[in-house]
């Protein structure tokens, strides 16, 4: 019989004093924190002051590294930089799903690390002008949640049979609803998106989206005998984006077809932006959070942060808005932001956000 143990959480803190002494260390060369035990495994933070690869040259790269040998561990983690002026520690990258760390095959790959896509935490010039670097001192935090493997207990054939039956009865809503979406059993509504149609269940859509809930509630209030509408037209969204959102509504995850590893940064950003707009339009709050975190994870820069801030405000994505405000107020690149293409739209569309920027900048001074 197997039993899932509760996760174990811990925090790694890497304080780098004399940060300037590590400038010019070279691409692919790193400095490393002391090892910390979390969940029975040894972990450390690696910092590459000149980037971990040629693609990240000009950026600072940060990785969480599993040091335990012959280990296979699943974990969530968040990387943070500590603002030394006000103590605020924004999340600069986080996992949306558990990450598998594997050091069992040490012969072929003696060290396994995992970090942000493209390994770009922040441009070096931005970091050096920010409140994260003060008195030549930088503090990096990593919040780790280790997911324990099931505890397996030897059992007799009878006990094993019972365990199998219990496993079959254990709830697995994500899997069950995925099958429901796939098989269409009991589906009672058709959503038309441009030239495509999607079949779904009003009860599921109403439970997950206030927009659908209000739509279906109005139809239920129609006089008895009135013809019920079973076709809904969804405007302002592309079929592939709606399909991905529908999958998220049923399973709390995005479909395998939404794999962004092969896309460049601009293509990834465009995909997450369209999903965020759709998630706000249909009020799918969980998907908005996923999209906001993904855009933060891909990295903010002076050329695009104003446009992303407009996107965040217009689509009520607080996690992305807070990260954009933090970036503009803390990196010392206000001139570059003002010169960007998106600044004019920010100034025109979101004047209220300048109050937040002013207050944030004031606290830093």
């Amino acid at each position: 019989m197997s039993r899932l143990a509760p996760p174990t959480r811990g925090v790694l803190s890497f304080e780098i004093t004399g940060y300037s002494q590590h400038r010019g260390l070279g691409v692919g060369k790193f400095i490393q924190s002391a090892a910390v035990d979390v969940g029975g495994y040894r972990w450390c933070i690696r910092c590459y002051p000149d980037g971990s690869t040629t693609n990240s040259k000009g950026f600072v790269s940060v990785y969480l590294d599993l040091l335990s040998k012959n280990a296979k561990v699943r974990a969530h983690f968040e990387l943070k930089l500590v603002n030394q002026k006000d103590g605020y520690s924004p999340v600069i990258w986080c996992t949306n799903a558990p990450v598998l760390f594997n050091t069992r095959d040490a012969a072929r790959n003696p060290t396994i690390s995992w970090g942000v896509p493209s390994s770009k935490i922040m441009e070096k010039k931005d970091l050096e002008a920010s409140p994260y670097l003060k008195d030549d001192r930088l503090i990096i935090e990593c919040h780790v949640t280790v997911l324990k493997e099931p505890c397996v207990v030897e059992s007799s054939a009878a006990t094993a049979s019972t365990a199998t039956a219990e496993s079959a009865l254990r709830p697995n809503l994500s899997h069950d609803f995925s099958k429901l979406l796939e098989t269409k059993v009991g589906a009672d509504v058709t959503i038309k998106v441009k030239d495509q149609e999607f079949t779904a269940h009003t009860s599921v859509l109403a439970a997950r989206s206030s927009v659908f809930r209000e739509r279906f509630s109005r139809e239920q209030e129609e006089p008895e005998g009135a013809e019920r509408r079973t076709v809904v037209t969804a405007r302002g969204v592309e079929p592939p984006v709606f399909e991905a959102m529908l999958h998220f509504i049923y399973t709390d995850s995005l479909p395998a077809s939404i794999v962004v590893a092969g896309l460049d940064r601009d293509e990834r950003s465009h995909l997450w932006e369209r999903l965020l707009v759709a998630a706000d339009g249909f009020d799918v709050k969980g998907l908005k959070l996923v999209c906001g975190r993904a855009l933060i994870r891909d990295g903010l820069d002076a050329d695009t942060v104003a446009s992303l801030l407009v996107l965040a405000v217009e689509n009520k994505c607080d996690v992305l808005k807070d990260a954009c405000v933090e970036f503009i107020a803390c990196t010392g690149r206000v001139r570059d932001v003002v010169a960007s293409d998106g600044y004019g739209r920010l100034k025109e569309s979101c004047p209220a956000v300048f109050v937040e920027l002013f207050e944030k900048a004031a606290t830093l001074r």
Side-chain angles (χ1 to χ4, degrees):
M1 180 167 52
S2 65
R3 188 176 296 107
L4 191 61
T8 303
R9 297 176 175 84
V11 179
L12 287 72
S13 182
F14 187 15
E15 181 176 332
I16 305 171
T17 55
Y19 180 84
S20 61
Q21 299 175 18
H22 302 291
R23 291 196 191 102
L25 189 64
V27 174
K29 300 202 176 162
F30 61 89
I31 50 180
Q32 181 173 301
S33 72
V36 174
D37 187 278
V38 179
Y41 301 94
R42 304 291 283 173
W43 307 85
C44 74
I45 298 173
R46 285 186 176 186
C47 177
Y48 296 75
D50 294 318
S52 59
T53 66
T54 54
N55 290 332
S56 56
K57 187 177 181 180
F59 288 77
V60 177
S61 303
V62 178
Y63 282 79
L64 171 65
D65 192 42
L66 174 63
L67 297 176
S68 298
K69 302 300 182 183
N70 195 30
K72 192 173 182 180
V73 191
R74 292 187 309 126
H76 285 284
F77 66 95
E78 295 180 342
L79 292 171
K80 299 183 176 185
L81 294 179
V82 178
N83 185 322
Q84 298 183 56
K85 291 187 177 180
D86 62 9
Y88 177 64
S89 303
V91 176
I92 54 175
W93 194 83
C94 63
T95 55
N96 289 325
V99 173
L100 178 64
F101 294 80
N102 185 356
T103 58
R104 287 184 178 175
D105 197 355
R108 287 191 303 174
N109 196 353
T111 305
I112 302 291
S113 298
W114 194 272
V116 298
S118 303
S119 311
K120 298 175 182 179
I121 285 292
M122 187 178 290
E123 284 193 72
K124 291 194 291 184
K125 60 182 179 181
D126 289 342
L127 178 64
E128 292 171 5
S130 75
Y132 305 125
L133 184 62
K134 183 180 180 184
D135 299 328
D136 208 21
R137 177 169 165 260
L138 178 68
I139 303 175
I140 305 168
E141 287 184 353
C142 185
H143 295 242
V144 185
T145 301
V146 175
L147 305 178
K148 294 290 189 177
E149 293 295 327
C151 301
V152 179
V153 180
E154 293 293 334
S155 61
S156 64
T159 305
S161 176
T162 302
T164 302
E166 289 179 352
S167 177
L169 292 172
R170 187 173 298 119
N172 189 343
L173 291 179
S174 177
H175 175 269
D176 293 344
F177 274 74
S178 177
K179 286 295 183 183
L180 192 63
L181 177 63
E182 179 183 342
T183 61
K184 313 297 184 187
V185 173
D188 56 357
V189 63
T190 298
I191 301 104
K192 296 185 66 174
V193 185
K194 293 194 172 180
D195 58 347
Q196 292 190 31
E197 294 185 348
F198 298 90
T199 306
H201 304 76
T202 56
S203 56
V204 177
L205 299 180
R208 301 279 284 166
S209 162
S210 65
V211 173
F212 281 120
R213 183 161 58 250
E214 291 172 8
R215 174 64 180 269
F216 300 143
S217 295
R218 287 197 301 270
E219 292 182 2
Q220 289 178 352
E221 293 171 359
E222 292 176 1
E224 187 174 351
E227 183 179 354
R228 297 300 178 105
R229 296 186 63 186
T230 57
V231 177
V232 175
T233 301
R235 296 181 175 86
V237 61
E238 296 295 323
V241 174
F242 184 85
E243 183 177 17
M245 183 181 68
L246 189 62
H247 189 280
F248 187 92
I249 287 173
Y250 275 76
T251 67
D252 255 350
S253 64
L254 291 170
S257 59
I258 305 296
V259 178
V260 299
L263 306 179
D264 61 30
R265 181 183 175 185
D266 290 341
E267 291 170 330
R268 283 199 308 269
S269 295
H270 185 53
L271 172 61
W272 291 119
E273 288 168 14
R274 287 186 297 160
L275 276 169
L276 175 56
V277 172
D280 182 63
F282 290 90
D283 192 28
V284 184
K285 293 182 174 60
L287 182 56
K288 286 206 296 185
L289 182 61
V290 168
C291 294
R293 286 177 172 174
L295 288 165
I296 296 168
R297 187 173 66 232
D298 265 358
L300 305 177
D301 59 50
D303 293 331
T304 61
V305 69
S307 296
L308 286 177
L309 184 49
V310 173
L311 179 76
V313 172
E314 290 182 343
N315 294 282
K316 300 177 286 296
C317 183
D318 289 340
V319 65
L320 180 59
K321 185 194 74 172
D322 292 346
C324 291
V325 169
E326 176 81 10
F327 179 92
I328 294 172
C330 295
T331 59
R333 298 193 60 189
V334 175
R335 290 180 183 274
D336 294 332
V337 174
V338 171
S340 68
D341 293 337
Y343 181 76
R345 188 180 170 205
L346 174 65
K347 186 177 178 181
E348 179 182 351
S349 304
C350 311
V353 81
F354 284 91
V355 175
E356 291 187 51
L357 285 168
F358 176 79
E359 291 177 349
K360 186 66 180 177
T363 61
L364 298 177
R365 293 190 178 90

